[in-house]
Amino acid sequence: MKRIAVLTTGGDAPGMNAAIRSVVRYGLNQKLEVMGVFRGWWGLINEELKVFSHRSVSGIINQGGTILKTARCHEFYTEEGQSRAYETVKKYGIDGLAVIGGNGSFTAAHLFGRKYNIPCIGIPASIDNDVNGIDITIGADTAINTALSAIDNIRDTATSMERIFVVEVMGRDCGYIALSVALGGGCEEVMIPERKSDINAICHDIVNGNLRGKMSWIIVVAEGSGNAPDIAKQINEITGLETRPVVLGHIQRGGRPTAISRDLALHLGRAAVDALIRGDSDKVVGFKESKIVSIDFEIAIVKKYFNYENMYKLVKELS
Ligand code: F6P
């Protein structure tokens, strides 16, 4: 292994820059050459890459987003896109790829790496925490803290004006952000894709609570289980109580990475380089039960299993 390349693909996540820094600096210190590929798979298809030095990643550890840019590249799923990307890999003598992204990125890396026999190691970064087989992705902790701070603000107005709020957070297929903020934010209800919600039962609880003198509620909705404006409208129609929707949207994707997101990124960047040097391929490095593990892409890309029942139960037990 002489030369590796690093890229970020899919939705950006805070801490991606720290992961890039780790791959570049550790790789160079291991006497590898390291290239940065711009705009994810698109950059491999279109030859947008350059040799990185220690200085290329100065001053980025605390920045959200990704200096390499990122994209959702549909062309990479075509024969032509993949073969052009492979031509770039050959032309620049790239012996291995460190792919920073989520499960969509790993699906692509799994296909590409096996098809052309190119070692690919995934570094899990996604605010959704939807990578199976590991505890937490880079960026999830930051997004949760961003959403939590918004929930804290909403609580002030919800309590003061005695209203119901329905707050939509990100999480296409995974309710991890929603459950974490509902727990930390002391919210009364949470709707997640993993679990079927019953709007009538929720309204029944609200009306009963209201009769006992409970005047404000915060209901967190993961985007994969519904949208806040529709749900707020339904709750208002069923209960007759004033209900406001808030969609937090992309503010959850930005911002300075928390210590947890940075720490994860720095450790996993190094682990990915070590894996490439060892000759590993088709794997994701990640933390599981406080240890760095390496799992097959095939396991990482299936629907994430986590103990959502327990988190949901605690939200309800404390509401
Ligand atoms: O990166 C994950 C995610 O933030 C999902 O939670 C969300 O559904 C999606 O990305 C939004 O993607 P885009 O920014 O491409 O619309």
Side-chain angles (χ1 to χ4, degrees):
M1 183 82 34
K2 281 201 183 106
R3 174 178 271 195
I4 62 170
V6 57
L7 57 130
T8 48
T9 83
D12 51 283
M16 278 184 160
N17 278 327
I20 296 167
R21 177 182 185 271
S22 178
V23 171
V24 172
R25 293 255 169 111
Y26 186 70
L28 291 171
N29 290 340
Q30 296 304 304
K31 310 284 175 249
L32 296 174
E33 288 170 355
V34 186
M35 297 197 77
V37 180
F38 293 90
R39 301 184 176 83
W41 301 115
W42 186 94
L44 274 189
I45 296 171
N46 294 287
E47 259 188 83
E48 270 225 29
L49 66 172
K50 71 175 188 198
V51 172
F52 269 24
S53 71
H54 278 77
R55 298 279 70 76
S56 310
V57 291
S58 296
I60 64 168
I61 197 167
N62 56 346
Q63 288 173 18
T66 157
I67 57 159
L68 288 176
K69 318 275 184 204
T70 184
R72 301 195 194 277
C73 179
H74 303 294
E75 209 184 336
F76 193 67
Y77 289 94
T78 65
E79 277 288 326
E80 202 207 325
Q82 287 176 13
S83 92
R84 280 176 58 193
Y86 177 58
E87 288 309 313
T88 306
V89 168
K90 268 199 317 197
K91 179 171 171 185
Y92 287 85
I94 294 165
D95 302 312
L97 291 174
V99 179
I100 305 172
N103 51 16
S105 316
F106 298 159
T107 304
H110 176 53
L111 294 173
F112 185 66
R114 283 164 65 107
K115 184 165 173 185
Y116 295 103
N117 200 19
I118 298 159
C120 290
I121 297 293
I123 301 175
S126 159
I127 64 161
D128 287 3
N129 197 22
D130 56 356
V131 175
N132 186 48
I134 54 153
D135 290 341
I136 190 145
T137 48
I138 297 163
D141 181 67
T142 310
I144 289 162
N145 278 292
T146 303
L148 196 53
S149 135
I151 300 259
D152 288 346
N153 289 5
I154 290 166
R155 166 120 7 242
D156 291 343
T157 177
T159 317
S160 305
M161 295 204 66
E162 303 187 312
R163 281 173 171 163
I164 302 166
F165 273 83
V166 180
V167 184
E168 183 181 320
V169 298
M170 277 191 169
R172 216 174 5 206
D173 307 308
C174 182
Y176 193 85
I177 298 180
L179 283 164
S180 302
V181 301
L183 248 183
C187 303
E188 285 76 11
E189 186 57 74
V190 52
M191 298 166 75
I192 52 170
E194 289 83 353
R195 192 183 168 277
K196 203 169 160 24
S197 299
D198 178 348
I199 198 79
N200 287 313
I202 294 173
C203 290
H204 183 260
D205 282 356
I206 293 175
V207 170
N208 273 346
N210 195 253
L211 290 173
R212 292 194 313 270
K214 181 168 174 51
M215 304 307 282
S216 69
W217 289 67
I218 299 182
I219 298 159
V220 181
V221 185
E223 62 175 335
S225 67
N227 74 79
D230 285 354
I231 294 165
K233 191 160 170 275
Q234 283 182 57
I235 293 176
N236 173 258
E237 281 167 8
I238 299 172
T239 65
L241 298 169
E242 225 184 338
T243 311
R244 294 279 191 270
V246 177
V247 180
L248 294 184
H250 286 77
I251 64 159
Q252 294 159 96
R253 283 248 289 265
R256 278 158 45 97
T258 58
I260 288 178
S261 291
R262 292 183 206 190
D263 189 79
L264 201 55
L266 298 169
H267 279 93
L268 296 183
R270 177 180 66 181
V273 174
D274 279 339
L276 287 169
I277 292 172
R278 263 200 316 270
D280 280 3
S281 182
D282 210 31
K283 287 184 186 302
V284 174
V285 289
F287 265 87
K288 192 166 176 62
E289 289 158 8
S290 311
K291 287 197 190 77
I292 293 186
V293 294
S294 159
I295 56 171
D296 292 344
F297 271 144
E298 255 173 10
I299 293 171
I301 59 184
V302 301
K303 183 160 173 50
K304 183 179 176 74
Y305 169 77
F306 70 106
N307 195 346
Y308 69 85
E309 293 97 341
N310 198 32
M311 289 173 87
Y312 181 78
K313 193 163 161 268
L314 192 53
V315 170
K316 293 311 290 176
E317 283 168 348
L318 302 181
S319 72

